[in-house]
Amino acid sequence: MEDSPNPPPVAQMASPALPSVLEPAETPGAGPSTTPVPAPARRVYTKKTKKKTEGMMAYTTAFVPMGINIKIPAGDYLTKERNVDVARQLSLARAKQEKAAAEEEKQRLTEEGKEVPEHNPLDYTLIIHPGSRNLRLGRASDFYPKEVPNCIARPSKALNGSRYDPPVPGSRAKRVAREQIEKREAKRRRAEGGEDVEMNGNGNSNGNGRVENDDDDDRPWVDPVNENIGHLREYLRNRLVQERLATDWKEGTRVKATNAKVKPEALPEHNDPYRIDWTEPEGKPFFVGTEALRLPESAGYKVRYPILNRSLNRRDWASSQSLLDDIATILQESLRTELGILPKEYPKYSVVFIVPDHGDRVYVQELTDLLLSVLDFKEIAVHQESYCAIFSAGMSSACVVDVGAEQTSVTCIDDGLVIADSRIKLNYGGDDVTSALVTLLQRSNFPYRELDLAKAQEWLMMDNLKNKICTLEEHLVANTPWDFYLLKTEGLTQKYVFRTYDENILAPLIFFDTRLIDFEEKKGNGSFRFWNTSDDDVSDEITSWYDEPTGAMKACTVHLLPPPAAPVETVTETNGDTSAAIANGAAEVKGENSVETKQPESTAALAPGPAAAVPSNSQTSATATPAPETTPAPVAPIVTIPPRAEPELSAYQIITEAAKSPLDAAIAASIAMVGTENKVKTAANSILLVGGSSALKGLGAFVADRLPPLLRQKGFPISDVSIVPPPRNLNPRFVSWKGASVMCHLETLSDMWIRRDEWEAVGQRALKDRCLFF
């Protein structure tokens, strides 16, 4: 049929053909059909990849880098925390691989029947605690550390870069006194000669023959050193009167007369217990430690200490590289001579490095880099001195007072956490007591007239004499004989016998009256700076409170600020009584509404009329009476005197001036920053004295006597305090070192290690992540 719905016949083929993608498989007719119609199939296009070529590099074998991913630029690596953590995880993975390889090697040797040497892990952990005078170092398994003088001696000819020598204690005061005496003698001679020329305050004439008046020259000049000694002696007399101790003050004159007649006694060589073996120069480029201190003066060497005030000595060195080289030399020689560790064995050892509680971040960074990058130690852990001290004493909360040779620090710890605002460092220590003792003895006719503190052996002699005779026990004020021995490179040892009255007690009193300390002299002349993180032009992303002024420092410098300014006054020009009536009307409206609008002073002062005192509709009550409409007379604008800017001390001024505070005031300021009254009582009852100079006889009792009144002035009702002695009769110099040794036995130390590869990849960020204080 013509209208048949069936499609026309298709030519027979060998195999059925697939329907065309351009035509449907079946052409539908007009009527219904029972045959399902399949969906049209889509052709799949296979994309042919063509080899990518870059310009003229298509026919070469050179590597062609891919394009930069904009989402992750190349400069982002190790600059954000998510990338820094990658380097840290890689370092930990390497540590695990090294540990696993060591275990496999140990197991292999055991299976082969070979003897595997067992070693204590603490034998490969070194604890290094550098100080201003001594370097304490040793293995974590040792009971006591090795103490080495932290100094190096180099030939004078090799120190061409050093412009200045270290200042000699007392030299500046002598120079000032000599200049004043010479100036007044010159003025007296000019006056006797009849010359019509007078000197000005600086010792110079005015240049035109006219007389220049100077009131200070008309009064007799008083040596400031003698004046400050007078303050100390007056305080001691008042203390003796308070304690009802009778003394004969004429004994001081008798002591001076007796010392003026003393003659030295030579000791025979066979009966000399103090004889030492002097160091032979032998043309060596340097000497370290005890050998440096025993060099004869004729050898032509200069002894210098690379650590000053528990930081890098920028005063006596000309460059940072020479300073760090000398520190590395001292460490290498000390490890070789004291512990028998050679530089090739350093990669096997881990180091626990003890740093000050409040210090210079550059000091921590540079010495960490020196130990890891230069000396190639395996890993390092950094801890603070006070934190290590409480581990040694077995305490969780304490006020740690560390009295060193050149610096004293006070820090409070609460439940094992260092309280940042309680830290304060003082720029004096045991060396200042030695210098003060020398000053006092020389004014009492000290028998050794040629004393020179610039010589290493004579300084050691006076330092040992200080440890022998100085005390803070007032009842020992008396005419007392002492002796000391002068060692000579050529000739016999000489014995001197002298007497003291109150000199041995006045010297340590400088801890509580610092006017006798010459802080200007200790600064020296030379200085340099590290051109990295300490440069002001370089922005450091890492900031911390480690080297910033603390609350205790600010509390010790409040007296330097002027009193608060008077309240701000307003000056108003009015025309008759009109402005007064307007003011009264505004006051009535304000009283009726019982609502006061709070506006800034500047906005209120600039308001021309009573509208400034009228509250808005949203603030008034439903029964508020609206202000009467009045036409105010023209009033001149109110002139407000702007408040005076309150002066503030800079960070450098706070740290510098707080470092001159007396010891008892610093301890009171530190304890007051602990927090609540209960915490203050806990800190006051657990004051831990550590450091070499804390062994001064009577220091603990003296602090305990002066501290309660100062705490009561700050509002804390404390009647007495307790001084904790060093644990188990341990030398106070070794308390912090021993605490680090105890810490090495704990597993928690494993989270503090900074490996060498992590330091090279991350840098100082590793200190920020590992150390809470940095």
Side-chain angles (χ1 to χ4, degrees), residues 187-374:
K187 179 183 177 181
R188 184 182 59 80
R189 289 193 301 267
R190 294 172 188 271
E192 292 178 353
E195 300 181 10
D196 192 16
V197 177
E198 289 196 8
M199 311 297 291
N200 58 15
N202 297 325
N204 301 321
S205 63
N206 51 23
N208 55 8
R210 298 176 61 186
V211 177
E212 189 169 325
N213 295 328
D214 192 350
D215 296 338
D216 293 338
D217 288 343
D218 297 337
R219 293 178 294 182
W221 180 74
V222 179
D223 190 350
V225 176
N226 294 333
E227 186 177 4
N228 294 329
I229 293 175
H231 295 320
L232 294 176
R233 185 165 280 122
E234 182 180 1
Y235 171 77
L236 179 59
R237 290 184 178 182
N238 294 334
R239 290 276 300 187
L240 294 177
V241 171
Q242 182 181 359
E243 298 294 335
R244 297 181 179 179
L245 297 175
T247 56
D248 186 4
W249 296 103
K250 296 181 179 179
E251 290 293 337
T253 306
R254 300 189 186 101
V255 165
K256 294 181 180 180
T258 304
N259 290 338
K261 302 176 183 178
V262 172
K263 300 296 181 182
E265 175 188 355
L267 296 181
E269 186 174 354
H270 65 277
N271 196 22
D272 184 6
Y274 302 96
R275 189 175 184 84
I276 62 174
D277 296 330
W278 296 92
T279 304
E280 296 293 337
E282 299 178 356
K284 291 185 178 181
F286 61 86
F287 290 93
V288 172
T290 305
E291 292 184 351
L293 297 178
R294 293 183 176 181
L295 283 167
E297 294 296 327
S298 59
Y301 284 76
K302 286 187 177 181
V303 181
R304 296 183 299 175
Y305 293 82
I307 303 298
L308 177 65
N309 295 332
R310 299 182 187 177
S311 184
L312 297 174
N313 188 350
R314 311 182 188 189
R315 183 191 67 188
D316 304 332
W317 266 261
S319 65
S320 60
Q321 190 59 48
S322 60
L323 173 60
L324 295 175
D325 288 345
D326 286 347
I327 294 177
T329 302
I330 293 174
L331 288 174
Q332 289 177 337
E333 289 297 314
S334 301
L335 291 173
R336 181 182 63 83
T337 57
E338 300 296 333
L339 302 178
I341 301 176
L342 300 178
K344 63 180 181 180
E345 302 174 357
Y346 291 170
K348 302 178 183 178
Y349 286 85
S350 305
V351 176
V352 177
F353 183 47
I354 304 177
V355 300
D357 302 326
H358 185 285
D360 187 4
R361 295 176 64 237
V362 177
Y363 169 75
V364 181
Q365 296 171 16
E366 293 296 335
L367 289 191
T368 302
D369 183 73
L370 177 69
L371 293 171
L372 290 178
S373 302
V374 179

Side-chain angles (χ1 to χ4, degrees), residues 120-168:
N120 186 2
L122 298 179
D123 292 339
Y124 289 88
T125 302
L126 298 177
I127 303 174
I128 299 178
H129 184 197
S132 301
R133 285 288 174 179
N134 296 307
L135 170 67
R136 289 166 284 275
L137 73 169
R139 294 182 174 89
S141 58
D142 297 338
F143 188 77
Y144 282 124
K146 303 291 184 181
E147 192 172 45
V148 183
N150 194 9
C151 62
I152 185 171
R154 290 190 179 274
S156 303
K157 299 180 180 179
L159 301 177
N160 295 329
S162 181
R163 296 169 295 175
Y164 305 100
D165 292 331
V168 181

